Amino acid sequence: MRISADRNFTIEERDSMIQSLVDKYKAEVKKDFLHGNYGTAYSYYACFQTLGSSLIFDPVHDKSDLTWMQAVANAWNEKYPSSPRTENLCNIVLECRKNRAKPRQIVLDIDGDKVRELGIIDMTFPDINGQERTLSSLRGNVILLDFTAFSLDGSTERTLLLRELYSRYHDQGFEIYQVGLDASEHLWKQRSEALPWVSVYCEEGLESDMLTLYNVQGLPSYFLIDRNCDLQARGEDIPDLGEAIEALL
């Protein structure tokens, strides 16, 4: 590259200029080629472009690149489930996600006194803006704790139903704390961006200990929590969700 050979700049200046050009190139490729075309051959090969001996898209060190590579892997897994290239992509994504996973301190060492005080097992996950949101921060409201994945069949219809309930009861003190467990964070962001309630992402997905602690047997699964943060009922025990919410308001 001309920049790398230009001795009018220091090494640090050249590295910064090259990185700026790489970032600009990556943004253009993601926007103009990858977005909406994840299952194409050029999307696959884009994931393995190199600059010298380094990958341009670096899922090991760049979380955004990992998200995009995962979207490509998901699309290839749907279109070409038996392809060696699909297996390669999926293995890379799984290994990178495992290496990037952050342990949740509240999972393995549950404070029994705190659980008795709250009536629930608390949790904290990031929302779409990266802000950590804690379930117990909604105390004082009637809360629908919802474990879900937007990739599930019927997800759109279910979201419309939750919107109806939220619109009807929110002004009376009803909140939703929705935990997204999609394998694709990109898909979760797309589907949760316009939601009016607290929507958070669990990076551990189906491996999250929260599913075990709440004895979640399948998705979607929801729990109703009263204003004192006491767990009152779970989905299969609630014949009419609207009536159950009204009874706690």
Side-chain angles (χ1 to χ4, degrees):
M1 293 178 65
R2 286 177 295 178
I3 293 176
S4 63
D6 193 332
R7 303 306 173 190
N8 292 318
F9 301 102
T10 66
I11 293 176
E12 291 78 10
E13 288 173 332
R14 279 179 281 170
D15 287 345
S16 177
M17 293 169 69
I18 290 171
Q19 187 59 52
S20 178
L21 289 173
V22 169
D23 290 342
K24 181 180 178 182
Y25 171 77
K26 285 165 62 174
E28 290 175 351
V29 170
K30 289 176 180 179
K31 177 183 177 183
D32 298 334
F33 294 95
L34 296 185
H35 185 68
N37 300 296
Y38 305 117
T40 60
Y42 57 78
S43 289
Y44 174 87
Y45 287 110
C47 292
F48 298 98
Q49 286 182 295
T50 59
L51 181 63
S53 59
S54 301
L55 286 170
I56 292 177
F57 291 93
D58 183 5
V60 176
H61 301 103
D62 190 321
K63 186 176 180 180
S64 174
D65 288 351
L66 175 57
T67 298
W68 285 87
M69 182 173 282
Q70 181 166 299
V72 175
N74 289 343
W76 271 69
N77 194 42
E78 289 182 6
K79 293 181 68 176
Y80 315 108
S82 302
S83 169
R85 290 191 174 93
T86 299
E87 183 179 0
N88 184 37
L89 277 171
C90 291
N91 287 338
I92 291 172
V93 169
L94 286 173
E95 187 64 25
C96 289
R97 288 187 66 83
K98 183 173 68 175
N99 291 338
R100 293 186 63 89
K102 303 178 181 64
R104 299 281 172 180
Q105 293 181 354
I106 59 173
V107 168
L108 299 179
D109 185 16
I110 301 298
D111 184 338
D113 291 336
K114 194 68 175 175
V115 172
R116 285 188 290 273
E117 175 189 339
L118 290 174
I120 59 169
I121 298 171
D122 207 7
M123 65 188 75
T124 301
F125 294 110
D127 64 16
I128 195 169
N129 298 311
Q131 179 182 349
E132 295 289 325
R133 305 294 294 271
T134 301
L135 173 61
S136 61
S137 68
L138 299 177
R139 186 172 188 169
N141 299 283
V142 172
I143 308 165
L144 181 73
L145 168 60
D146 185 48
F147 294 98
T148 193
F150 290 113
S151 57
L152 295 170
D153 291 340
S155 173
T156 300
E157 293 79 6
R158 187 170 184 272
T159 296
L160 291 174
L161 174 61
L162 290 181
R163 277 185 176 276
E164 180 182 338
L165 291 170
Y166 189 82
S167 297
R168 190 188 311 167
Y169 299 117
H170 175 61
D171 290 344
Q172 301 176 50
F174 172 63
E175 290 287 351
I176 298 175
Y177 187 94
Q178 188 172 59
V179 183
L181 297 153
D182 288 280
S184 169
E185 185 176 4
H186 181 67
L187 172 63
W188 170 77
K189 285 184 176 180
Q190 283 185 319
R191 299 289 183 86
S192 64
E193 185 176 14
L195 297 179
W197 51 77
V198 178
S199 180
V200 298
Y201 184 66
C202 176
E203 190 174 36
E204 293 85 358
L206 297 179
E207 300 301 317
S208 174
D209 289 315
M210 279 299 163
L211 297 180
T212 301
L213 292 169
Y214 273 86
N215 193 28
V216 173
Q217 301 297 314
L219 297 179
S221 187
Y222 61 88
F223 300 81
L224 204 54
I225 300 167
D226 68 17
R227 293 184 186 272
N228 295 318
C229 242
D230 289 324
L231 189 61
Q232 292 295 331
R234 58 186 302 148
E236 57 263 31
D237 301 323
I238 305 173
D240 188 308
L241 184 54
E243 288 184 3
I245 293 170
E246 286 185 14
L248 296 176
L249 289 171

